[in-house]
Amino acid sequence: MRKLLLVLGLIALAIGLLWIGQGLGVINWPQSSFMINQTQWAGYGAALAVLGLILIWQSRR
């Protein structure tokens, strides 16, 4: 169960960071993404990244 939480947490953290970058316009990949320069996606990414950190923290307990 710990490994599953860790893997899910790392995936959520990585996707959250990608969404933050795309939402803020820092990451322009893929070029045709509808999320680029849309600040709402930066908020969604921050929430997902926090969830990922919580899962990682829970896997270490």
Side-chain angles (χ1 to χ4, degrees):
M1 187 66 167
R2 286 182 168 183
K3 286 191 179 207
L4 178 63
L5 285 177
L6 179 62
V7 169
L8 290 176
L10 290 172
I11 291 171
L13 179 62
I15 292 172
L17 292 174
L18 175 65
W19 287 0
I20 291 170
Q22 285 181 327
L24 295 176
V26 176
I27 300 173
N28 292 321
W29 175 83
Q31 289 289 334
S32 62
S33 177
F34 61 92
M35 296 179 354
I36 295 174
N37 289 324
Q38 300 293 318
T39 55
Q40 70 186 28
W41 283 99
Y44 297 152
L48 186 60
V50 167
L51 175 66
L53 289 173
I54 291 170
L55 290 175
I56 292 168
W57 178 68
Q58 286 294 321
S59 75
R60 298 291 184 185
R61 292 185 79 207

